[in-house]
Structures are given as structure tokens and as C-alpha cells.
Amino acid sequence: METEKKYKLSGQVHVKAMELALSLCEPGSSLLEIAERTENFIRKQGAIPAFPVNISINEVAAHYSPIIDDTSEIPDHSIVKIDLGVAVDGFITDAARMKIFDSKFEKLKTSAEHALFAALKKINDKVNVYEVGAVVEKTIRKEGFKPITNLSGHSLGQYSLHDGLSIPNYGKNKKLWKPKDVFHKNNAYAIEPFSTTGKGIVIDDDLETIFIHYSQLRNTPSPQAREVFVYIKKHFYGLPFSPRWLVEKFSKKQIEQALEELTEQHVLHGYSVLKEITNKPVAQAEDTIFLKENGKKVILTRKKVSNS
Ligand SMILES: [Co+2]
């Protein structure tokens, strides 16, 4: 199967998985249940989760995925971002949607959505990433909010979630553009504007809920950590994973000790939960777009696969 077909298949699974996740997301529902049911649904479709389902609430912008035995629930009056990824033979689609449980978030929500639509419209194989970033920034500011400047969209590759090109959520003087920062045909890109009522910067929280296999073993790990490492290497294809995905095979204690040891040795990398610096609410909208050989684009993660 050619690349484009695999991407489209990945997108179709994504659309259905997102529908399921959103239908499960209501105040009082368990984050763990939303994540696990959605991830299992993706697996049942013959695909794999490209990363653990992210459920980021209010001032949390990204990278919160339920932990082992997570007891947290969707709070009342919240804004919730569900960000999920699907991989078919390594071809990844990545998209996020929001649910708001208070009308006070309506304008914030739509500002991120409007910025996403404007960015998708702007993309072609001639524009610089900062031209797209400028459109994102302008749209969000015009609606009275701030873009989060230290989060960005990204190119996608086979089994590669961040494949080298970043698509910023702000513009930059043309003189500072680099000629290499452009979009390419036959490539997929995740575009993800974030907007906030806060300062527009995210910082690392202490908590890490998502990990990735980062480099080969250097020092000799303990036999228990090695066992976990071998499993990770074999099953997660170098994509981000959740410690939850190890509980079938290992005890919670062994998982926690292995993660600690292997992150210490920089064999694994843990992603920090990202919070808005002033603890203000954050909105996010994201789609994956494919630039075809003929220059046309396909939004892979929308129900009606639109060609333009
Ligand atoms: Co995403």
C-alpha cells in the first residue's frame, strides 16, 4: 500500500477513536477509562496508539495521560483537550478536540479552532512555517487570547512523531526565516494551535506520565530493568508509551523501578506534564494534514476527507 493510502486509513481509525473518546468524556467520568477504552478500540481496528491518549484539563496544556490505577475524573466546569494518535504500519495521524463543561470557555475554544482552520488553509509546499505561525498568532490575538509560543505543530514520519520540522504558533520577521523551514509534498504534518487567557507559555510540571525509548543501553541495568526495557523495545516501536501498557506483563513495582533506573540513564525519556505558566486555561485544536504529490492537501483527521 502506498503512503497516502496508509495515512488515510490511519485517519479513518483516528476519526472513530476520537468519536468514542469524546462520547466517554463527561464530568465525573474516569480518565483511565476514557484512555484505555480508546486505546483498545484503536488496537481492535488493526492499528496502534501512536502515543498514549492525552487528556489535558484546564491549565494543563498537554502530556497528561492517565497513570496506573489513576482515580481522577473529569471535573465540572472544565475545558478538556483530548489528543490522540493512531499509527497504521507506522503512518501516524495526530489530532486533538476539546469538550467544554462551562460556557465561559466557548470563545477560548473557538479561538484555537479558528486558528487551526486558518493555518490549514495557509499550508502549501511554498510557504514558510512562520507564515503559517503568523496566521495562527493573528487569529488567536484578534479573538482576545494569546497563542502558546513554546508549543508547536510538527512533521510526521513513519514511526516518528516529531520528524524534524516544527510549525510554530507565532510569526517571525521574514529576515529570520530559514529556507529549510517549508512543507514538502508526500508528507504529513500535525498542526496544533494552543490558545490561552494566560501568558502563553507552558512550563514543566514534576509529573511524567508518558515515556519514550530514547537511546540504547549504556550502563548495565539491573536484570529487572533490562527485562522491562526489552519489552518496551519490542512492543512500542520507538513511539511514546504509557507505563499502563506494561501492567499486563510486569508488577507495578518493577515498572516503577525500571522507569526510574532507565530514565536516570537516559535510555528512556519521560515527558513532563505541561502547564500554562500562570495556571490559566488552555485550548488546543489539532489536525493532521497530508500534502499530496500534486500539491493538493487532505485533512486526514476529519470525517469528510476534504481535498483542496
Ligand atoms: Co496531538
Side-chain angles (χ1 to χ4, degrees):
M1 232 195 308
E2 53 176 312
T3 302
E4 189 184 328
K5 274 192 185 155
K6 284 179 181 169
Y7 268 122
K8 282 184 173 167
L9 198 58
S10 177
Q12 283 161 16
V13 175
H14 197 293
V15 167
K16 286 188 249 170
M18 183 60 86
E19 266 177 21
L20 172 66
L22 292 171
S23 75
L24 297 171
C25 179
E26 290 294 335
S29 46
S30 146
L31 270 63
L32 186 60
E33 196 186 324
I34 298 169
E36 299 214 311
R37 282 182 60 182
T38 305
E39 289 160 0
N40 287 333
F41 174 84
I42 292 167
R43 294 182 186 110
K44 266 188 234 143
Q45 306 293 306
I48 59 168
F51 51 86
V53 171
N54 283 218
I55 307 171
S56 303
I57 297 168
N58 297 339
E59 73 277 12
V60 176
H63 295 175
Y64 185 82
S65 187
I67 58 171
I68 296 170
D69 298 331
D70 203 312
T71 57
S72 50
E73 296 176 347
I74 301 289
D76 288 329
H77 304 290
S78 54
I79 175 167
V80 182
K81 286 80 64 184
I82 295 187
D83 190 343
L84 55 96
V86 171
V88 169
D89 192 24
F91 293 96
I92 298 166
T93 47
D94 177 359
R97 299 285 182 265
M98 289 166 273
K99 267 189 118 170
I100 56 170
F101 302 108
D102 195 314
S103 58
K104 70 181 174 197
F105 295 125
E106 187 62 43
K107 284 193 173 129
L108 179 63
K109 174 177 182 270
T110 51
S111 71
E113 291 166 344
H114 292 161
L116 172 62
F117 298 145
L120 293 173
K121 218 170 147 183
K122 186 81 186 170
I123 292 173
N124 60 50
D125 65 328
K126 311 269 186 314
V127 296
N128 187 282
V129 293
Y130 284 102
E131 288 175 271
V132 175
V135 163
V136 167
E137 179 173 5
K138 201 177 140 197
T139 306
I140 291 172
R141 286 191 188 277
K142 209 171 71 192
E143 298 188 19
F145 303 102
K146 283 190 184 149
I148 292 188
T149 50
N150 60 340
L151 288 174
S152 56
H154 45 97
S155 56
L156 296 159
Q158 196 176 14
Y159 291 108
S160 172
L161 195 54
H162 287 261
D163 207 43
L165 185 71
S166 289
I167 300 103
N169 289 321
Y170 59 92
K172 198 159 90 171
N173 190 312
K174 198 170 179 174
K175 287 177 195 146
L176 300 167
W177 293 358
K178 293 191 179 114
K180 68 170 178 53
D181 288 340
V182 291
F183 299 87
H184 292 283
K185 290 175 180 170
N186 218 23
N187 256 281
Y189 299 92
I191 309 301
E192 48 180 330
F194 289 81
S195 58
T196 180
T197 56
K199 232 179 157 185
I201 296 166
V202 290
I203 51 167
D204 289 354
D205 192 73
D206 290 335
L207 184 64
E208 294 171 349
T209 66
I210 299 168
F211 295 82
I212 191 167
H213 171 198
Y214 188 71
S215 78
Q216 290 309 309
L217 290 176
R218 277 171 276 199
N219 310 346
T220 311
S222 66
Q224 291 83 355
R226 176 184 288 276
E227 204 184 1
V228 173
F229 174 74
V230 168
Y231 185 89
I232 288 167
K233 209 175 146 186
K234 185 166 171 214
H235 290 88
F236 305 145
Y237 308 94
L239 290 169
F241 65 90
S242 166
R244 291 183 280 107
W245 299 353
L246 297 164
V247 288
E248 243 177 46
K249 186 84 183 151
F250 306 102
S251 71
K252 192 176 166 185
K253 196 176 160 206
Q254 184 175 356
I255 295 165
E256 282 167 358
Q257 284 176 351
L259 292 179
E260 198 185 325
E261 188 178 327
L262 296 167
T263 46
E264 182 106 322
Q265 294 181 16
H266 302 286
V267 171
L268 299 181
H269 169 73
Y271 293 95
S272 298
V273 170
L274 300 172
K275 271 186 173 177
E276 208 283 325
I277 192 167
T278 53
N279 284 318
K280 289 290 191 313
V282 174
Q284 173 204 20
E286 179 180 25
D287 273 310
T288 294
I289 192 169
F290 184 75
L291 262 190
K292 303 209 304 184
E293 200 51 59
N294 63 8
K296 292 191 171 176
K297 15 183 198 187
V298 185
I299 301 168
L300 297 166
T301 44
R302 297 261 161 191
K303 202 165 200 173
K304 191 170 167 279
V305 174
S306 60
N307 288 280
S308 65

